[in-house]
Amino acid sequence: TDIVVWGAAPSETRVFVDGVPVPALYHIGGYRSAVGNELIEDIRLTPAAFGVDRGRAIGGVIDIGLGDPAAAPHWSVQADVLDGSAQGRTAIGRATSALAVRQSWLDRMVGLVEDPRQLAPNAPLPSWSDAQLVLRAPLGSDLVVTAWAIGSFDTLARTLVSDDPATQTEDRIDQRALRAQVTLRRDRPNGFESGTLWFGRDRSSDDLQVG
């Protein structure tokens, strides 16, 4: 599912996680968000009046803030017909880390009761997975380092079956994204100072064969 803000193209609304740009808010099909679980603290939509540092955004800006890993549940497991997920946190000295993972099985669940090829023209059945790792460690009374890594993986393969091979259509989509970030923050009586270093890698392919 794409986000449309003020009639702008979906690609003209940008998504940020703690100030780091990510390619998409949702997995293919829009069944789940690409960054989810209990590690999100807040989400804000700014449809206009955002700064020039949010370049290439015309429709709007979506900011996702990851929370303190110490506020995440110790352990949590969830499963439904869409996917299964697990998350937990642990303390290592003064540092706290939290991990969340998710894997879809919607396509396999549907395959138990219906032929996915018959649903392909109107109901895409993608496969998705994602993971988030967050770490927070105080280095002093006013100095804190935070780091996180998030990954998102999507695939979609569907065929519009036809008795005539010349009119059969096949579509295969593969999208992958990885982001990692480290932030050092020092609190001051009248504010704070921070510096962020981040790395990202994306891969996307769309193979459409007609006839």
Side-chain angles (χ1 to χ4, degrees):
T1 297
D2 294 321
I3 304 297
V4 176
V5 180
W6 281 10
S11 60
E12 294 173 339
T13 291
R14 304 194 70 195
V15 182
F16 295 84
V17 176
D18 285 343
V20 176
V22 296
L25 179 61
Y26 290 100
H27 287 292
I28 294 176
Y31 296 102
R32 292 293 194 202
S33 65
V35 182
N37 300 299
E38 300 293 335
L39 301 184
I40 292 180
E41 184 177 67
D42 60 80
I43 300 178
R44 300 189 311 275
L45 169 63
T46 306
F50 40 81
V52 295
D53 57 322
R54 306 305 181 90
R56 298 187 296 278
I58 296 176
V61 169
I62 298 173
D63 285 295
I64 300 173
L66 297 184
D68 187 342
H74 282 285
W75 291 103
S76 175
V77 177
Q78 178 180 343
D80 54 35
V81 297
L82 295 179
D83 54 28
S85 64
Q87 55 194 16
R89 66 177 168 91
T90 185
I92 307 173
R94 300 179 62 190
T96 304
S97 63
L99 172 67
V101 295
R102 176 166 48 196
Q103 175 62 53
S104 72
W105 49 55
L106 174 64
D107 53 339
R108 282 164 285 180
M109 295 291 288
V110 171
L112 297 176
V113 296
E114 183 62 69
D115 185 354
R117 293 179 301 176
Q118 299 298 323
L119 299 177
N122 301 310
L125 297 175
S127 174
W128 67 85
S129 59
D130 59 67
Q132 302 91 37
L133 173 64
V134 182
L135 174 70
R136 184 180 188 275
L139 302 181
S141 59
D142 59 354
L143 188 62
V144 176
V145 61
T146 59
W148 54 255
I150 58 177
S152 175
F153 310 92
D154 296 81
T155 59
L156 173 62
R158 57 178 176 173
T159 301
L160 306 185
V161 181
S162 174
D163 294 332
D164 182 0
T167 61
Q168 181 166 295
T169 301
E170 297 182 358
D171 190 14
R172 299 183 182 275
I173 300 174
D174 188 344
Q175 296 179 354
R176 304 183 182 187
L178 174 66
R179 293 291 186 275
Q181 179 241 46
V182 177
T183 296
L184 190 64
R185 170 171 169 153
R186 181 186 298 275
D187 291 321
R188 300 290 190 181
N190 59 346
F192 67 90
E193 300 170 348
S194 68
T196 297
L197 178 66
W198 69 273
F199 164 83
R201 181 178 177 87
D202 301 327
R203 193 186 80 174
S204 178
S205 66
D206 188 346
D207 183 13
L208 177 64
Q209 298 184 14
V210 181

